[in-house]
């Protein structure tokens, strides 16, 4: 009798395969939930590495559903103006700039100075560093769903020039938060 009891599996050994099955099932469910959360995050967010010198940060998380506010970084697809295509290629790519002007703000040019909502935000140059003519950007009241965007860089290519103009909602990819 004692030998039969010794050969029978201990109660904990008998249930170990079931525990492994539940553990594997739990990991599968947790992994699926994580992948689902990641997919949902990807639908509303993006990571961007900035290769231009016009912004001080080089890595951003873009929130695709956020509405831009003054002072925030906004990422948009610029118009296919000849100057944009010549310098950045025909393939559409995002530009990242700072929102200086909101819908309803007044944009003025005073000589080379660009004034938005009563504040000096930029200086215009007559030519690119390659000698191409730069046409001054739009003036007047910024339309609904549009923004005056710029950068503090002296060679910033932004709303101060007609080739870029206002960044409007139909071209905005999202609002960026710098992470590096």
């Amino acid at each position: 009798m004692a030998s039969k009891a010794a050969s029978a599996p201990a109660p904990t050994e008998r249930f170990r395969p079931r525990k492994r099955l539940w553990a594997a099932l739990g990991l599968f469910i947790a992994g699926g939930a994580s992948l689902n959360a990641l997919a949902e995050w990807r639908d509303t967010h993006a990571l961007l590495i900035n290769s231009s010198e016009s912004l001080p940060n080089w890595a951003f998380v873009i929130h695709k559903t956020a509405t831009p506010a003054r002072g925030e970084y906004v990422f948009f697809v610029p118009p296919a103006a000849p100057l944009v295509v010549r310098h950045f290629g025909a393939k559409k790519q995002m530009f990242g700039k700072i929102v200086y002007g909101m819908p309803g703000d007044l944009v003025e040019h005073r000589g080379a100075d660009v004034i938005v909502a009563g504040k000096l935000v930029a200086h215009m140059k007559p030519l690119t560093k390659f000698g191409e003519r730069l046409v001054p950007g739009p003036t007047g009241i910024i339309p609904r769903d549009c923004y005056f965007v710029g950068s503090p860089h002296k060679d910033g290519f932004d709303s101060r020039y007609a080739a870029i103009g206002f960044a409007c909602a139909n071209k905005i990819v999202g609002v960026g938060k710098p992470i590096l």
Side-chain angles (χ1 to χ4, degrees), residues 23-146:
L25 184 60
L27 285 174
F28 179 75
I29 291 170
S34 296
L35 288 175
N36 189 39
L38 184 59
E40 287 178 17
W41 186 88
R42 185 192 65 224
D43 290 343
T44 58
H45 295 78
L47 293 174
L48 175 91
I49 302 300
N50 174 38
S51 61
S52 99
E53 297 175 5
S54 68
L55 294 178
N57 300 87
W58 63 272
F60 293 85
V61 171
I62 298 174
H63 301 269
K64 296 177 186 177
T65 58
T67 301
R70 191 182 313 276
E72 289 186 322
Y73 294 101
V74 66
F75 291 85
F76 64 100
V77 177
L83 197 57
V84 174
V85 172
R86 191 166 36 258
H87 286 271
F88 299 97
K91 183 181 176 194
K92 299 225 182 255
Q93 57 181 304
M94 282 190 287
F95 275 30
K97 303 295 177 191
I98 300 167
V99 176
Y100 288 142
M102 300 293 291
D105 286 350
L106 177 63
V107 177
E108 302 173 87
H109 294 167
R110 295 182 192 157
D113 293 342
V114 181
I115 313 296
V116 177
K119 291 185 176 185
L120 175 66
V121 297
H123 300 285
M124 292 182 288
K125 297 171 24 174
L127 304 172
T128 69
K129 54 186 166 182
F130 300 109
E132 300 153 303
R133 184 169 178 264
L134 288 165
V135 176
T139 59
I141 301 296
I142 300 173
R144 188 172 141 246
D145 293 331
C146 294

Side-chain angles (χ1 to χ4, degrees), residues 1-11 13:
M1 226 24 162
S3 64
K4 283 186 180 179
S7 65
E13 289 179 25

